Amino acid sequence: MPPVDGSTTPRRATLATVADAAGVSIATASRALTGRGDLASATRRRVHVAAREVGYVREPSAGGRPLGSARLLDLVLGSYGDDYSDEVTAGARTAAADAGYDLVLTEERDTPDDDWPLRIRRRGSAGVVLGLISPTAAQLSSLADASIPVVLMDPRSDSPRGLTSVQTTDHEGGRSAAVHLVECGATSFAVLLGRPRYRYGRTRHAGFREGLRAALPAAAITVVQAGWRRAQARDAMIPLLRDLAPGERLGVFACSDELAAGVYAAAAATGRRIPDDVLVVGFDDLRGARWLTPALTTVRQPIREMAAAAVDALAGAAAGSELSGAPIVLPTRLVIRAST
């Protein structure tokens, strides 16, 4: 309806307009839009939906962008600047640009006062990809209360019910590693697990055990655990490599390329040769895998494609599609190089 003064400028929606549309008081609408106060999640969501429908724009002093109008998607990772985060960022950035969104890189700080959900809410992001982190229930609730959809990429634990996740075929990847090591003539076998034992590490280990049991039922597996860093993996593997018997060929499945690099370092420290004494299969196929000497055989997970799938799901949700709670699963592929 045009204003009564006859001008053609549409009247801006007010907080009272939002409250009326949502069927709540002005005070309740204000608390819902600013993230303050103890409100039921359904009430908070109803207010946010009403604000988008009437085109409500908060004043800059309120600490937020126009609801639903920010063409932004957030990518939240625990760190940036390594091979994994570079791949994730590349895939997410391309997909976001194709969908008409800008990508904001947000780093999770390992401190109790980290307020990244609040910063995302203030930006008015259309959706959030959470990669390789374990969000708390309070963080997820903060985003849900603001009606900001979330997709988990390669979650460390089983996804909370109702949340969409993007994963890869970790079990099949581990199985293929076991079959390959048997075919390459390994006479003994070890699995190098990362600690903490995240969801994907456990699943890769289970797949390896299943594949080895099918291919070589009598084979035993030595399980070695280490932190997820190269130096920690090196120190954990040295005793096992030092004790290899003459003529023994040890097949090692490392649950990440970073751990596999630690096996290389342990082999160098103990005078063992790859692939003569030790055959190594990693998991990830990050760019560093082909730079190792000899180049690393590894299970490729399509990291760029996984990040793009997460962004595509969020863009669809922003356009009105429902996010399914079922995981989006992309296939792995064994890439054979000189380490086996």
Side-chain angles (χ1 to χ4, degrees):
M1 177 182 297
V4 295
D5 60 6
S7 68
T8 58
T9 302
R11 181 176 298 168
R12 191 176 70 176
T14 65
L15 191 59
T17 311
V18 176
D20 183 61
V24 299
S25 68
I26 293 177
T28 297
S30 176
R31 291 199 301 273
L33 294 175
T34 57
R36 301 187 181 96
D38 186 14
L39 297 177
S41 296
T43 300
R44 200 181 298 274
R45 290 192 196 98
R46 190 165 74 250
V47 172
H48 278 267
V49 170
R52 284 196 292 269
E53 288 177 346
V54 302
Y56 175 69
V57 179
R58 283 178 285 177
E59 295 295 333
S61 60
R65 292 177 178 263
L67 283 169
S69 66
R71 300 292 293 182
L72 301 175
L73 294 172
D74 267 81
L75 171 63
V76 184
L77 295 175
S79 63
Y80 287 88
D82 54 40
D83 288 353
Y84 179 85
S85 63
D86 288 350
E87 288 290 299
V88 174
T89 302
R93 183 179 60 240
T94 300
D98 289 345
Y101 287 87
D102 292 325
L103 185 69
V104 179
L105 304 185
T106 300
E107 184 168 348
E108 181 194 41
R109 299 190 298 268
D110 191 19
T111 58
D113 61 345
D114 187 8
D115 63 346
W116 61 263
L118 181 58
R119 300 198 305 273
I120 289 172
R121 289 176 57 151
R122 287 174 173 167
R123 282 195 285 272
S125 291
V128 184
V129 177
L130 302 181
L132 274 186
I133 66 174
S134 302
T136 65
Q139 289 169 335
L140 291 173
S141 178
S142 177
L143 296 172
D145 288 347
S147 300
I148 299 176
V150 173
V151 173
L152 305 179
M153 179 178 165
D154 223 4
R156 289 177 168 175
S157 57
D158 292 331
S159 303
R161 181 173 297 179
L163 280 186
T164 299
S165 65
V166 180
Q167 304 174 20
T168 193
T169 51
D170 294 294
H171 189 278
E172 173 60 25
R175 191 201 65 79
S176 67
V179 172
H180 178 66
L181 287 172
V182 171
E183 291 174 345
C184 290
T187 59
S188 59
F189 302 88
V191 174
L192 178 55
L193 300 176
R195 190 174 54 238
R197 294 186 65 182
Y198 296 129
R199 173 200 59 79
Y200 39 81
R202 297 193 305 269
T203 306
R204 293 166 191 175
H205 178 204
F208 184 84
R209 296 187 71 90
E210 181 180 297
L212 186 59
R213 186 164 55 245
L216 206 62
I221 303 174
T222 300
V223 176
V224 180
Q225 296 191 61
W228 288 90
R229 297 299 179 189
R230 178 180 315 199
Q232 296 166 308
R234 170 192 178 276
D235 294 343
M237 287 297 298
I238 282 177
L240 181 60
L241 298 192
R242 184 181 290 137
D243 292 341
L244 286 184
E248 182 179 359
R249 300 189 74 208
L250 177 65
V252 180
F253 173 49
C255 286
S256 75
D257 288 354
E258 178 79 4
L259 294 177
V263 179
Y264 277 61
T270 56
R272 304 301 183 184
R273 295 172 300 173
I274 298 174
D276 300 319
D277 306 310
V278 184
L279 302 95
V280 187
V281 179
F283 201 111
D284 286 328
D285 197 25
L286 299 173
R287 60 175 174 250
R290 68 206 72 169
W291 296 345
L292 291 170
T293 304
L296 176 65
T297 293
T298 188
V299 178
R300 180 184 184 272
Q301 59 170 336
I303 298 172
R304 291 196 184 201
E305 293 89 340
M306 292 166 68
V311 167
D312 289 343
L314 288 176
S321 299
E322 288 289 332
L323 279 175
S324 168
I328 301 168
V329 182
L330 277 65
T332 53
R333 177 171 59 87
L334 182 68
V335 179
I336 299 173
R337 300 192 180 102
S339 68
T340 54

